[in-house]
Amino acid sequence: MAHQSIKIEPVAGALGAEVSGVDLTKPFDAQTVSEISGALFQHLVIFLRDQNITSEQYLGFARNFGEILPYPLVQGLDDFPDIVPVLKLPHETTNFGGLWHADTTYLNEPPMGTMLLARELPPRGGDTIWANMYLAYNTLSDGMKHMLDPLIAVFSSEKAGVTATREDRRNDAPKDDSGLQTTAEHPVVRTHPVTGKKVLFVNFGHTVRFRGMTEAESAPLLDHLFRHQTRPEFTCQLRWRPGTIAFWDNRATQHNPINDYHGYKRLMHRITLAGEKPY
Ligand code: OGA
Ligand code: MN
């Protein structure tokens, strides 16, 4: 197996880096994989450009970083059920996941990471933004950190905003979700299992309240945290090109795809990697 020496260039102050020097159509060795995962844990979201790879090559790349977790609510591709199409059609106006969120945090074991590979893009627009949840935690006051540290939050797949963003895809590729876990409880502040650093883990898409409190009681503080954690200086933005792969650490980031390309098609291929129960 060939060693491909990677180059890492940060794209913003808060997070995000382009990783170049890798061609996923060619063999790469364990050292290359470990450099890529090092870049992921350091920069939280990494971008690999011009990877015009097959679905097999894409799955083969993803499996180096963990076990694939099928997305619970939408069917995968016919031939590759572990790859989920994230699609917006020209006549549609909502985009999948079109609000700030971390992926499927209503599961007991939310994913460690997600990859998207851009297959078809609008001529302009359709960028995605990520935010750094280490920074979101670190920039809280000591008093707020102290108050949040012991709290548990309740997460749900049923928040109205988020269900609307997956309706179109549920309609054309429904998946039997009768056995799906739709709520989970996780620490508001979790410890990242690889870096050991603290992360502000609540997110607008899926967090409904603090455990032991009502939604109404939780709302003022949650709203404050949702606003705080997506401040522009905690974010980076990706201009996709066909063949761009974004790979994010779902434990330490949130993301939000910008819905500014009505009338055009956008198709991404998504692979999710299994994680663990947050602590
Ligand atoms: C997702 C998602 C963002 C995008 O697939 O989880 O949020 O840019 N997609 O399409
Ligand atoms: Mn998402």
Side-chain angles (χ1 to χ4, degrees), residues 17-36:
E18 283 211 22
V19 169
S20 58
V22 200
D23 176 352
L24 300 181
T25 64
K26 308 239 164 68
F28 46 88
D29 63 6
Q31 172 70 21
T32 307
V33 170
S34 104
E35 286 176 22
I36 293 172

Side-chain angles (χ1 to χ4, degrees), residues 207-243:
T207 306
V208 286
R209 60 184 177 85
F210 298 106
R211 183 165 81 187
M213 299 184 209
T214 65
E215 285 184 31
E217 288 167 339
S218 307
L221 180 50
L222 281 178
D223 285 345
H224 169 76
L225 295 174
F226 296 154
R227 265 195 311 278
H228 166 77
Q229 64 191 172
T230 56
R231 276 160 51 177
E233 65 270 34
F234 302 161
T235 70
C236 71
Q237 179 165 337
L238 173 65
R239 175 86 274 255
W240 297 90
R241 299 198 298 257

Side-chain angles (χ1 to χ4, degrees), residues 147-277:
M147 183 173 74
L148 294 180
D149 276 336
L151 296 184
I152 303 292
V154 178
F155 295 76
S156 165
S157 64
E158 301 293 324
K159 277 186 89 171
V162 89
T163 53
T165 77
R166 55 180 185 243
E167 219 141 82
D168 291 330
R169 296 292 73 76
R170 293 270 293 151
N171 288 340
D172 53 43
K175 195 164 172 174
D176 176 17
D177 63 351
S178 48
L180 180 73
Q181 180 203 345
T182 56
T183 65
E185 296 189 351
H186 302 303
V188 170
V189 179
R190 75 179 285 190
T191 303
H192 194 288
V194 175
T195 64
K197 295 191 290 188
K198 286 183 175 182
V199 172
L200 181 60
F201 196 58
V202 293
N203 70 82
F204 175 74
H206 301 308
T207 306
V208 286
R209 60 184 177 85
F210 298 106
R211 183 165 81 187
M213 299 184 209
T214 65
E215 285 184 31
E217 288 167 339
S218 307
L221 180 50
L222 281 178
D223 285 345
H224 169 76
L225 295 174
F226 296 154
R227 265 195 311 278
H228 166 77
Q229 64 191 172
T230 56
R231 276 160 51 177
E233 65 270 34
F234 302 161
T235 70
C236 71
Q237 179 165 337
L238 173 65
R239 175 86 274 255
W240 297 90
R241 299 198 298 257
T244 300
I245 293 176
F247 180 11
W248 62 89
D249 182 336
N250 194 57
R251 304 179 284 210
T253 61
Q254 293 186 33
H255 54 283
N256 188 351
I258 302 176
N259 192 9
D260 61 350
Y261 54 97
H262 294 343
Y264 295 102
K265 180 178 175 185
R266 180 177 183 271
L267 173 65
M268 321 297 271
H269 280 175
R270 181 188 203 261
I271 297 178
T272 306
L273 296 162
E276 62 289 296
K277 172 84 187 126

Side-chain angles (χ1 to χ4, degrees), residues 96-99 101-104 114 116 206 248 250 255-257 270:
F96 182 84
L99 36 67
H101 66 283
D103 288 333
T104 56
T114 304
L116 285 179
H206 301 308
W248 62 89
N250 194 57
H255 54 283
N256 188 351
R270 181 188 203 261

